[in-house]
Amino acid sequence: MGEAIRERSGLRAWGAYAVASLALMLGFGFMAMVFVPASSVGAVWFSAALAYALQLCAFAGLLWFRRDAQLLLGGWLMGMTLRFGALGGMAWWLSRSAAF
């Protein structure tokens, strides 16, 4: 019984995080559209969507490992590795494409 309650609270926390981060991403995305040239608006929305998906995965990993303090650090490191890997992958791709 306790496991089911913990699982529901984790799902509720993930849902609240997903909604709040979506609202922030949309708000900052629209604000960024004011400051970037029209040709770069697609890049702003692409990177915002990628960051949103990565953040949701990283937060889910953090929630998965939150019961054990040692595993919590592992979950946090997994999220950091995911984000830095995506940043490095995007930098590598942009350095070899005509888009940059």
Side-chain angles (χ1 to χ4, degrees):
M1 178 95 164
E3 184 70 28
I5 291 172
R6 241 183 269 147
E7 208 171 288
R8 265 187 270 136
S9 75
L11 189 57
R12 190 175 303 124
W14 187 84
Y17 180 79
V19 170
S21 59
L22 179 64
L24 283 170
M25 189 243 342
L26 289 173
F28 282 112
F30 283 118
M31 282 185 357
M33 285 176 52
V34 173
F35 298 107
V36 299
S39 61
S40 300
V41 169
V44 167
W45 288 114
F46 175 77
S47 26
L50 180 64
Y52 179 68
L54 290 174
Q55 283 297 114
L56 288 182
C57 292
F59 190 70
L62 196 61
L63 285 176
W64 182 272
F65 295 119
R66 72 179 170 176
R67 288 185 210 111
D68 189 1
Q70 292 172 338
L71 293 179
L72 182 67
L73 181 61
W76 180 76
L77 287 172
M78 179 191 68
M80 291 299 295
T81 303
L82 182 68
R83 287 188 287 268
F84 277 121
L87 180 65
M90 289 298 297
W92 179 80
W93 175 67
L94 285 173
S95 71
R96 284 164 172 53
S97 73
F100 188 56

